Amino acid sequence: MNSSIRLKQTIIIGAILLLVAFLFTRDIKGLVKPTEENGKMPASGQLAEAAPPSTSGLSIQQTSEAAKNVINKSLATDITALENSYKGATGAEKVQLAQQLAQKWDDVEQLTPSALYLEVVAEAKPTATSWLASGNKFLKAFESTQDSLAQPALLQKANTSFTKALELDKENIDAKTGLGVTIVNGLGAPMQGIAMLLEVVAKDPKNLKANMNLGLFSIKSGQFDKAIPRFNTVIATAPTPEAYFYLATALENLDKNKEAVEAYLKSKKLAANPTLSSFIDKKVAELKNKS
């Protein structure tokens, strides 16, 4: 019996891990569309996130050149012109151009170069707000990339940014949440990160990011009963396809198949994504056959 339960958990958790990147790093409220130039399905939203260099250090120049290969050529030309101005600028003008470039890259969903320019801004204007913006973007880039060699560098930069934000504002809940997430994802003892996230929800019970990550950690550790209230808290405030999907996964593991089907279908409806819809249709049929 125990081995059967463990096998079931292993299979489902494996499916979760395969879909984590799909769900967390995409705007899945609209249909995914092919890019104009190559007709391939992009990895994120309507544009693919360019893989950052697989090195321990991330260079603005390298990540920028990689990102330009996956965006519209006219947009790439505009960004190149702005970058040339940035290279020749100094002082306040250089910081202002870095801010503009961060926004330009964010607009075309290229998170790594955007994060690197936000880091430049934070280094020039070291406030809790600027470091928090840098940390959030690095963390999102970490969650978006499929490059296992680039992930540690992105996660480390996120961790550093959140740490600096907390040094400037020790009560900043968002910075503490981000730092906890980076620790849970590998930069320290997981329970240390969990403790930080629990501290966040103690002060802010409806904190979306903290509850979502606590729920995910509960699933990964097989504590499905603890995951359910976390995802329900997220759904009560901001019902997303991600939250419903993971709620359904937790319910399924507890053999609450009827409730799991309902949650899966809500995830499908909110996402309106053909890839996710296909997966959920198969999952729903499987669960209904068990009933």
Side-chain angles (χ1 to χ4, degrees):
M1 179 66 71
N2 288 337
S3 61
S4 176
I5 293 174
R6 285 196 297 271
L7 177 60
K8 178 181 178 183
Q9 291 178 348
T10 300
I11 293 172
I12 293 180
I13 291 174
I16 293 168
L17 295 176
L18 288 173
L19 284 170
V20 164
F22 175 80
L23 287 169
F24 260 114
T25 64
R26 290 152 174 80
D27 177 7
I28 55 178
K29 292 182 180 179
L31 295 177
V32 177
K33 299 178 181 178
T35 58
E36 294 180 1
E37 294 189 4
N38 59 24
K40 296 179 181 179
M41 282 291 188
S44 171
Q46 293 184 350
L47 292 170
E49 162 74 7
S54 300
T55 63
S56 58
L58 297 172
S59 155
I60 285 181
Q61 182 176 350
Q62 287 178 300
T63 56
S64 173
E65 290 305 315
K68 287 173 188 174
N69 290 328
V70 296
I71 66 173
N72 180 278
K73 289 182 178 179
S74 64
L75 291 174
T77 299
D78 291 343
I79 289 175
T80 297
L82 195 58
E83 286 182 329
N84 288 336
S85 296
Y86 167 80
K87 292 173 184 177
T90 58
E93 182 185 6
K94 194 175 187 72
V95 176
Q96 184 179 23
L97 287 169
Q99 185 70 61
Q100 291 178 31
L101 283 161
Q103 186 59 57
K104 286 283 188 182
W105 281 122
D106 190 53
D107 289 343
V108 293
E109 300 178 26
Q110 296 304 309
L111 304 177
T112 301
S114 177
L116 288 168
Y117 278 113
L118 286 176
E119 183 182 42
V120 169
V121 174
E123 288 172 343
K125 296 183 176 181
T127 65
T129 300
S130 61
W131 280 119
L132 181 61
S134 171
N136 283 334
K137 197 65 67 178
F138 276 123
L139 184 58
K140 193 171 182 181
F142 161 77
E143 293 169 340
S144 297
T145 185
Q146 299 302 304
D147 188 335
S148 61
L149 296 178
Q151 285 178 335
L154 292 166
L155 190 63
Q156 182 60 65
K157 282 186 172 291
N159 180 279
T160 299
S161 293
F162 289 129
T163 298
K164 290 184 176 181
L166 275 175
E167 288 173 353
L168 295 166
D169 181 2
K170 297 185 184 302
E171 301 303 317
N172 192 305
I173 287 181
D174 291 333
K176 185 170 291 186
T177 301
L179 184 60
V181 172
T182 65
I183 293 172
V184 169
N185 276 282
L187 290 183
M191 291 313 299
Q192 179 188 1
I194 293 299
M196 295 185 74
L197 295 177
L198 289 172
E199 184 179 341
V200 168
V201 296
K203 293 181 179 180
D204 180 13
K206 295 182 179 180
N207 188 283
L208 298 180
K209 185 179 289 186
N211 275 293
M212 194 72 175
N213 280 276
L214 285 168
L216 282 171
F217 184 83
S218 294
I219 284 184
K220 291 176 183 178
S221 60
Q223 302 176 78
F224 303 107
D225 55 331
K226 292 184 178 180
I228 290 173
R230 297 297 179 191
F231 297 129
N232 278 331
T233 296
V234 174
I235 288 168
T237 304
T240 64
E242 296 94 336
Y244 273 118
F245 179 87
Y246 293 120
L247 172 62
T249 301
L251 290 167
E252 180 183 352
N253 271 272
L254 295 173
D255 293 322
K256 297 182 178 181
N257 295 339
K258 182 179 178 181
E259 295 94 327
V261 166
E262 292 175 357
Y264 275 128
L265 290 176
K266 287 178 180 177
S267 176
K268 173 184 173 181
K269 182 178 180 180
L270 286 175
N273 182 282
T275 303
L276 182 62
S277 294
S278 177
F279 177 89
I280 288 178
D281 286 343
K282 293 176 182 178
K283 178 61 67 175
V284 167
E286 175 187 328
L287 291 176
K288 285 183 175 180
N289 286 335
K290 291 182 180 179
S291 302

